Amino acid sequence: MLTEGLRVLINETNIATVTGISYSLSGCRNAIAFKRPDVLLLDIKLPDGNGIDFCAEIRKKYPELKILALTTHDEYSVVRRMMENGANGYILKNALSEEIISGIEAVMNGEVFLSEEVDNLIKKQKDQAIWLTARERELLRLIVNGYTNQEMADELYLGVETIKTYRKNLILKLGAKNSMILVKMAIENQLI
């Protein structure tokens, strides 16, 4: 529903025309190669990978393409990594339609665009330490202690898939490449 609403919104403003919609990274790769859009609205969480790594991949292959992150992820480390990987802007999905259109226009004009909420987040977080929820700290403690996903699920009374999601989100939030680096960061930054 969000996707269709965005398509209508963008097409009605006459600032751009939606040339295609993809629901996976593989579909997006094919669409970009075939349609060669000027701007890509990119989510971070996709069924076959994450938009952060995909952003870096696409930036190398199509340096002229403008990439505007449009996502629900509002963690400082995720925003930072997305921008470091070549995004031209970052907007949260709860942004007003006018802000989304402004973001598209800005990146088309070669500007960096951060929605108001993301801009405030960055200003606030620059001088603050990494913040984790109590559940994230507990999960991180179990990871550091060498628990398997099944053992963590049993310990926390959660499903294994929920544990996997928490683990992926922690890796994204802290900017770690894998669980080993996540453990190292947890110890070095005294996060547990």
Side-chain angles (χ1 to χ4, degrees):
M1 206 158 110
L2 173 70
T3 307
E4 272 311 306
L6 277 173
R7 178 198 301 260
V8 170
L9 172 72
I10 293 166
N11 287 340
E12 285 181 353
T13 62
N14 295 322
I15 63 148
T17 302
V18 177
T19 60
I21 296 173
S22 298
Y23 297 97
S24 67
L25 297 179
S26 58
C28 190
R29 276 186 197 95
N30 294 334
I32 291 171
F34 179 70
K35 297 183 179 182
R36 298 292 178 126
D38 296 316
V39 177
L40 170 66
L41 298 181
L42 180 62
D43 201 346
I44 289 180
K45 196 171 193 178
L46 295 157
D48 56 344
N50 74 69
I52 295 172
D53 295 335
F54 184 68
C55 183
E57 172 192 325
I58 291 300
R59 174 59 59 226
K60 287 177 188 164
K61 193 165 185 178
Y62 304 100
E64 71 287 348
L65 178 65
K66 307 299 185 198
I67 302 170
L68 182 58
L70 182 61
T71 184
T72 58
H73 290 274
D74 61 352
E75 296 90 15
Y76 172 75
S77 60
V78 175
V79 174
R80 181 182 48 78
R81 286 186 58 216
M82 191 70 172
M83 298 304 287
E84 287 172 355
N85 282 358
N88 301 91
Y90 199 105
I91 299 176
L92 297 178
K93 284 184 179 177
N94 65 354
L96 297 174
S97 55
E98 295 83 14
E99 195 168 31
I100 294 170
I101 297 303
S102 295
I104 294 169
E105 285 182 307
V107 299
M108 282 175 47
N109 292 325
E111 300 168 28
V112 171
F113 185 86
L114 300 175
S115 65
E116 184 178 345
E117 198 172 335
V118 172
D119 190 43
N120 290 337
L121 172 75
I122 289 174
K123 288 174 184 170
K124 179 179 151 191
Q125 289 291 117
K126 279 193 176 178
D127 298 327
Q128 291 184 0
I130 297 168
W131 183 84
L132 298 175
T133 65
R135 178 65 85 184
E136 289 170 332
R137 286 186 186 282
E138 180 65 12
L139 183 73
L140 195 53
R141 183 186 62 77
L142 295 174
I143 292 170
V144 168
N145 288 326
Y147 281 57
T148 65
N149 286 341
Q150 184 62 57
E151 291 169 334
M152 285 187 274
D154 294 342
E155 178 83 14
L156 300 174
Y157 304 104
L158 297 170
V160 173
E161 290 304 312
T162 303
I163 294 296
K164 288 179 182 177
T165 300
Y166 267 118
R167 185 187 290 259
K168 284 179 191 173
N169 288 340
L170 268 174
I171 287 172
L172 274 174
K173 189 173 189 175
L174 296 178
K177 293 201 184 285
N178 56 44
S179 293
M180 248 171 76
I181 294 174
L182 186 65
V183 169
K184 181 181 176 195
M185 291 175 74
I187 293 168
E188 286 177 355
N189 293 302
Q190 300 175 352
L191 297 176
I192 52 171

